[in-house]
Amino acid sequence: MIEVIDSHTAGEPTRCVLSGGPHLGLGSMADRLEKLRSKHDIYRRAILSEPRGSDVLVGALLLEPVDPAAAAGVIFFNNAGYLGMCGHGMIGVAATLAYLGRIGVGEHLFETPVGQVRASLAENGDVTVGNVDAYRHRAHVQVEIPGHGVLYGDVAWGGNWFFLIEEHPFCLCLDRVDQLTEFTWKVRQALAANRITGADGAEIDHIELFSPAIDPRNHSRNFVLCPGKAYDRSPCGTGTSAKMACLAAAGKLSPGQQWRQEGILGTVFTGSILRDGDRIIPFIRGSAHVTAVSSLIFQEADPFRDGIPAPAGLKA
């Protein structure tokens, strides 16, 4: 039996694993992620895959932190593998811990596999995440997409690796999701085929399209394809971090200036950056709502006890 709490952040679900997960030792979150990946990946599949979960669900395994000042350690994962950080997921984690009475209003430290982040809980329940450093790795990178010709995008880090495309022929509308998913999946495949990567050869596993916002109060609208071929229902916290890093590198976003990022559902994350020398520290504000408190049960006779395997080709 595994105890979980589900929530959604701007429409994107998070499943926090409170207890019943594997013992991963007391090393760093990066070390524990590798142990989870190499020795206990069955837990990820069983928790998130059908019939208990879905392709869009993101897991957050809550762990004892290394630093006693931290509220928790967190490992994020999805239907295809593991995430370095997850902005919507961290907002969901903070909202879940507040629901349980484990944290209160104020700032809280969390450990992730890619570094420490901070989450500030406001009186109204909003959460502001101070993310890991973000940066633009390469600008205006050319890639040819079969059936679509040559397009250009930026490669940026916001806690995960992104390829960000501003100029494209698509309407970022909910009724075009199938078309957008097909196109962005082709982009990801083209990046891999052309050996276009993040730093140190890291795979770019998130594709982000932008267009003008529908709501005039917002600055931009996005569509984000996640590693397991599911699209992000929220405006994507790490994607918004990557976007702001690109804007800052281009001299289009100043420290403290707000950036309102609209997602495919019309929900919004409010972002800003802080500069510390050459470092760009992104901040993302949003809210999450708890939707279920559950016990996941694993019966020996269940033929899908360990989850239904993902289709071939969806390995992160």
Side-chain angles (χ1 to χ4, degrees):
M1 188 177 292
I2 293 178
E3 305 295 335
V4 301
I5 291 187
D6 291 348
S7 66
H8 79 85
T9 306
E12 179 77 353
T14 305
R15 173 165 286 174
C16 285
V17 181
L18 304 179
S19 64
H23 180 63
L24 301 175
L26 299 176
S28 69
M29 293 306 123
D31 289 342
R32 286 187 243 185
L33 184 154
E34 286 308 313
K35 188 174 290 187
L36 180 61
R37 189 202 315 265
S38 62
K39 296 183 178 180
H40 304 286
D41 190 59
I42 192 171
Y43 279 87
R44 176 189 63 81
R45 298 203 329 262
I47 291 165
L48 291 191
S49 300
E50 295 182 52
R52 295 179 190 84
S54 72
D55 285 350
V56 70
L57 193 58
V58 172
L61 177 60
L62 301 184
L63 299 167
E64 189 73 22
V66 176
D67 185 345
V74 189
I75 295 175
F76 294 106
F77 49 96
N78 71 354
N79 63 322
Y82 298 86
L83 305 169
M85 229 299 279
C86 182
H88 97 267
M90 186 56 69
I91 294 171
V93 165
T96 295
L97 293 180
Y99 174 83
L100 292 170
R102 295 188 186 180
I103 64 170
V105 171
E107 185 175 88
H108 306 278
L109 180 67
F110 291 89
E111 296 174 350
T112 79
V114 294
Q116 292 185 338
V117 302
R118 296 183 180 276
S120 296
L121 179 66
E123 291 278 1
N124 67 355
D126 282 0
V127 177
T128 300
V129 175
N131 198 4
V132 296
D133 294 358
Y135 65 95
R136 184 175 69 180
H137 179 58
R138 295 177 63 189
H140 204 60
V141 177
Q142 176 180 308
V143 60
E144 184 166 357
I145 313 301
H148 298 276
V150 173
L151 293 172
Y152 298 87
D154 289 353
V155 177
W157 169 260
N160 297 296
W161 281 106
F162 286 82
F163 192 74
L164 304 95
I165 302 172
E166 197 85 51
E167 296 182 11
H168 56 80
F170 300 101
C171 172
L172 303 190
C173 306
L174 198 56
D175 60 1
R176 302 291 179 87
V177 159
D178 289 346
Q179 183 185 38
L180 295 169
T181 299
E182 180 184 11
F183 171 70
T184 48
W185 189 251
K186 285 183 177 180
V187 173
R188 182 175 173 186
Q189 292 175 313
L191 294 175
N194 289 279
R195 297 183 174 84
I196 298 170
T197 70
D200 301 319
E203 183 177 9
I204 300 170
D205 56 8
H206 289 70
I207 310 300
E208 188 165 12
L209 307 180
F210 291 92
S211 74
I214 292 176
D215 186 331
R217 295 174 297 177
N218 303 326
H219 296 98
S220 174
R221 187 177 181 90
N222 70 0
F223 173 86
V224 177
L225 187 73
C226 301
K229 210 176 181 180
Y231 70 92
D232 198 324
R233 274 67 173 168
S234 81
C236 189
T238 55
T240 300
S241 298
K243 174 64 175 180
M244 292 192 298
C246 292
L247 290 168
K252 297 179 179 179
L253 187 69
S254 301
Q257 182 181 351
Q258 280 196 353
W259 179 263
R260 287 177 57 87
Q261 184 60 60
E262 180 181 284
I264 193 69
L265 299 184
T267 52
V268 176
F269 285 161
T270 302
S272 63
I273 62 165
L274 176 69
R275 279 194 178 273
D276 182 5
D278 292 333
R279 298 172 57 209
I280 296 174
I281 306 167
F283 292 84
I284 303 294
R285 187 176 80 240
S287 60
H289 303 275
V290 169
T291 57
V293 178
S294 308
S295 297
L296 304 183
I297 297 170
F298 302 84
Q299 294 183 316
E300 290 289 346
D302 183 352
F304 299 114
R305 182 176 186 265
D306 302 329
I308 297 174
L314 289 192
K315 182 180 178 183

